[in-house]
Amino acid sequence: SELPELIDAELPIDGSRKSVFGHSMGGHGALICALKNPGMYKSCSAFSPICNPTQCPWGEKAFTGYLGDDKEAWKEYDATELAAAYAGDKLPVLCDQGLADEFYEKKQ
């Protein structure tokens, strides 16, 4: 919460119209930030995100390294799992995945 507060205090923006976006793992980060914080963002955009890391080899390797072996704990950081459990207000989400993305081709 430190960065949003700093931005609100120091920049000439309307803090009531915050959105979040990212690319690749940053897209995944944008999705989980929006889904874990209902009402904080007006929209979320993710470009070529890893959306379901608990169900692909790359995500399994990364989550094991960062979060350990408890696969139930991984769900707290998986955008697909969070979207399925989302109970907040309607959230506009743009998720764009190009067909030439190597992770898309590998079904990851």
Side-chain angles (χ1 to χ4, degrees), residues 20-101:
V20 62
F21 72 95
H23 175 260
S24 193
M25 274 311 285
H28 176 261
L31 289 167
I32 66 169
C33 282
L35 294 166
K36 291 180 107 174
N37 296 285
M40 181 178 283
Y41 302 104
K42 293 294 182 188
S43 68
C44 175
S45 299
F47 302 98
S48 297
I50 305 287
C51 290
N52 198 196
T54 62
Q55 301 301 313
C56 70
W58 183 92
E60 290 177 4
K61 180 180 178 184
F63 278 21
T64 299
Y66 289 113
L67 302 172
D69 294 322
D70 181 0
K71 291 186 178 185
E72 282 301 307
W74 296 1
K75 291 179 181 181
E76 295 179 44
Y77 298 94
D78 184 303
T80 300
E81 297 286 343
L82 293 170
Y86 184 75
D89 291 338
K90 184 176 179 180
L91 175 67
V93 174
L94 169 67
C95 187
D96 185 64
Q97 185 73 45
L99 297 177
D101 186 289

